[in-house]
Amino acid sequence: MSNQIETVLKQEQLSEQDLIMLLQSDKIGRNKIFTHSSKIKSDYVGKRVYYRGLIEMSNICSKSCYYCGIRMDNKSAKRYNISDEEILKAAKFAHEKKYGSLVLQAGEIISPVFTKRISNLLKQIKEISNNELGITISLGEQPDEVYQEWFENGAHRYLLRIESSNPDLYYKIHPKNDKHNFETRLACLESLQKIGYQTGTGVMVGLPFQTYQDLARDLLFMRDFDIDMCGMGPYIEHVDTPLYQYRGLLLPIEDRFTLTLKMIALLRILMKDINIAAATALQAIDPIGREKAIKVGANILMPNITPGMYRDDYKLYENKPCTDEEAEDCTNCLEMRIGITGDDIGYGEWGDSKHYSKRKEL
Ligand code: 5AD
Ligand code: FES
């Protein structure tokens, strides 16, 4: 098995079967994969981590994904909506601390008022930072015109996870109705790419009903879609969600964690110059989970700069880390943490996806 892994890793292309074999590898095999992916990371994007200050603006959501703790039908979630002033204060903090970029994330709302609010925030963030802060948004499925408007107002990256590239699995983890439609999700991703966003997607790893073949195909999906950025994390069950009833089908949490690291490493091998985030959900499982992801291929970290009092309520999954901290505490903690990975931090740099710049040159 171990020799087979070395042979496969030397190949120019990895097939679905190769990826399935790699995803199933044992500890020795997995370490070979990690050594290889780590070398590719340092050769293609360098040993440098870029910060995206994450602002979880609001947990009000019109969707009801079966896995998510802030789904509309979860009546026990306490809802909040941070004021524009507080958002701008957090943006100022990120700018002062020389975080290259921000991520504005919220539950999914489609409305003209929401569209305008985001457009205004984008303009103001650009203004208060002398155009220096890069802005990624993660605001779900929206009409093309809305994506276009936000792009024109200064957002240049968009994150929209496909969650699973297998439509059958997609419909096991989402209700099957107009609001949750696999084809719509795909069309949104295409529209974002066409408008010109650096486009990011990702999946959850270790979902109930998910197979190794699904995960291998997720990796190939991301390669074939030619994404610029990826965020993927382990699935963590939440007690107030419908998917919780299938917790008996799950891999042990440590295995979901390791499998996510393998997914990150394999994606780095498949797509050498994209940006890959070390998802916060990794840290919910292992206190140095994100640092481990950085070692095997991730190069983006999203420090949470949501004002402390709201953090506890943006609970997509159980055990979310650092919900009782303030942004200032995170800065020192993070710097020390990155230190242990041997990477440095790209302060004050956007750290755009190199893949995107190449795609645009062609
Ligand atoms: N476990 C892990 N990740 C989750 N997300 C939502 N719920 C969970 C969960 N229970 C992820 C989804 C979504 C992102 C914002 O958070 O992938 O796209
Ligand atoms: Fe869809 Fe939260 S309701 S991810």
Side-chain angles (χ1 to χ4, degrees), residues 227-245:
I227 60 165
D228 304 303
M229 324 183 290
C230 176
M232 59 187 158
Y235 164 67
I236 303 174
E237 62 275 29
H238 189 297
V239 61
D240 295 319
T241 60
L243 222 53
Y244 194 71
Q245 63 187 299

Side-chain angles (χ1 to χ4, degrees), residues 10-25:
K10 281 193 196 120
Q11 290 169 193
E12 198 65 30
Q13 293 290 332
L14 295 176
S15 67
E16 183 181 313
Q17 279 316 315
D18 294 332
L19 291 168
I20 293 174
M21 188 271 291
L22 294 167
L23 286 168
Q24 290 178 312
S25 59

Side-chain angles (χ1 to χ4, degrees), residues 67-351:
Y67 43 84
C68 179
I70 65 164
R71 61 199 301 272
M72 185 173 79
D73 294 334
N74 179 12
K75 302 295 174 217
S76 35
K78 197 168 121 220
R79 304 290 164 172
Y80 72 85
N81 189 6
I82 303 185
S83 70
D84 288 3
E85 289 71 37
E86 284 176 294
I87 293 171
L88 292 173
K89 206 168 129 205
K92 251 196 202 120
F93 168 86
H95 186 231
E96 277 160 15
K97 291 285 170 190
K98 300 216 174 320
Y99 288 9
S101 305
L102 279 187
V103 181
L104 286 184
Q105 188 167 62
E108 195 173 303
I109 299 169
I110 302 180
S111 83
V113 173
F114 185 71
T115 304
K116 275 278 141 335
R117 178 178 179 211
I118 297 294
S119 289
N120 285 334
L121 278 169
L122 291 169
K123 281 188 260 187
Q124 289 180 77
I125 293 168
K126 285 283 165 196
E127 217 173 278
I128 59 168
S129 73
N130 308 318
N131 272 328
E132 282 166 14
L133 272 177
I135 311 178
T136 307
I137 49 178
S138 179
L139 303 166
E141 292 171 7
Q142 298 284 343
D144 290 359
E145 315 81 74
V146 174
Y147 286 150
Q148 183 69 43
E149 179 177 323
W150 290 342
F151 186 71
E152 283 162 14
N153 282 309
H156 58 128
R157 314 185 188 108
Y158 205 104
L159 293 174
L160 181 66
R161 288 191 181 174
I162 190 80
E163 315 294 359
S164 168
S165 63
N166 174 354
D168 291 336
L169 179 56
Y170 191 89
Y171 289 119
K172 287 197 174 107
I173 62 170
H174 297 95
K176 201 167 189 174
N177 57 28
D178 284 355
K179 256 203 246 170
H180 303 79
N181 183 299
F182 180 80
E183 295 301 324
T184 308
R185 180 64 59 106
L186 210 53
C188 282
L189 279 169
E190 274 159 11
S191 155
L192 290 164
Q193 197 179 50
K194 199 157 136 236
I195 290 170
Y197 281 97
Q198 291 173 50
T199 308
T201 193
V203 296
M204 279 176 290
V205 181
L207 287 161
F209 316 110
Q210 194 176 43
T211 64
Y212 287 105
Q213 184 183 48
D214 287 330
L215 290 170
R217 289 185 177 178
D218 286 339
L219 290 169
L220 295 173
F221 166 83
M222 291 191 263
R223 183 197 63 188
D224 296 342
F225 194 89
D226 209 15
I227 60 165
D228 304 303
M229 324 183 290
C230 176
M232 59 187 158
Y235 164 67
I236 303 174
E237 62 275 29
H238 189 297
V239 61
D240 295 319
T241 60
L243 222 53
Y244 194 71
Q245 63 187 299
Y246 299 112
R247 63 194 178 283
L249 300 178
L250 298 174
L251 286 172
I253 193 113
E254 312 79 57
D255 295 357
R256 274 178 263 160
F257 177 85
T258 313
L259 196 52
T260 308
L261 288 188
K262 281 184 188 165
M263 286 288 285
I264 290 175
L266 292 174
L267 186 63
R268 176 59 71 202
I269 295 169
L270 284 180
M271 303 194 77
K272 301 178 169 40
D273 56 358
I274 64 169
N275 278 349
I276 304 179
T280 314
L282 287 163
Q283 199 193 341
I285 301 182
D286 180 330
I288 52 163
R290 290 184 302 183
E291 292 70 16
K292 288 183 181 169
I294 289 168
K295 277 212 157 222
V296 307
N299 66 330
I300 300 291
L301 204 101
M302 293 161 46
N304 196 334
I305 57 166
T306 309
M309 60 190 282
Y310 299 108
R311 283 196 199 186
D312 210 25
D313 295 321
Y314 201 83
K315 276 237 169 93
L316 306 168
Y317 45 82
E318 299 290 344
N319 218 356
K320 201 168 162 229
C322 300
T323 54
D324 53 358
E325 315 286 339
E326 274 299 337
E328 187 72 50
D329 308 330
C330 287
T331 309
N332 302 329
C333 163
L334 279 174
E335 195 157 314
M336 196 188 69
R337 283 161 167 276
I338 310 271
I340 60 175
T341 67
D343 280 29
D344 63 16
I345 302 165
Y347 280 118
E349 293 177 55
W350 278 14

